[in-house]
Amino acid sequence: MRAGAFVTLQGEDAEYQVVEPDAADAGARRISAESPLGRALLGKRAGDEVTVERPRGDAQYIIASVRY
């Protein structure tokens, strides 16, 4: 996966877009490629499991789909 991709995470009904930092907008579900989630998603594909390091503890997600 690369910046510009639309991603759906397993168990969530929302689709997110991974974007360059200056285009990030949480309300519009555009995630910065430099954010913890964005960094975890880059280079992955559908079916991959990712771990996101967060201050309140790590979170694990499975990528349900990726589209460009």
Side-chain angles (χ1 to χ4, degrees), residues 37 40 49-54 56-61:
L37 179 56
E49 184 173 325
V50 297
T51 300
V52 179
E53 295 180 20
R54 305 178 310 174
R56 60 179 182 227
D58 294 353
Q60 294 183 326
Y61 301 97

Side-chain angles (χ1 to χ4, degrees), residues 4-59:
F6 292 88
V7 180
T8 302
L9 302 174
Q10 188 172 342
E12 295 192 21
D13 59 353
E15 181 176 63
Y16 301 93
Q17 183 178 22
V18 180
V19 297
E20 295 299 324
D22 60 335
D25 181 347
R29 294 189 176 112
R30 290 193 301 260
I31 301 170
S32 169
E34 294 182 5
S35 70
L37 179 56
R39 284 193 312 267
L41 292 171
L42 292 177
K44 303 296 191 279
R45 57 185 163 185
D48 287 351
E49 184 173 325
V50 297
T51 300
V52 179
E53 295 180 20
R54 305 178 310 174
R56 60 179 182 227
D58 294 353

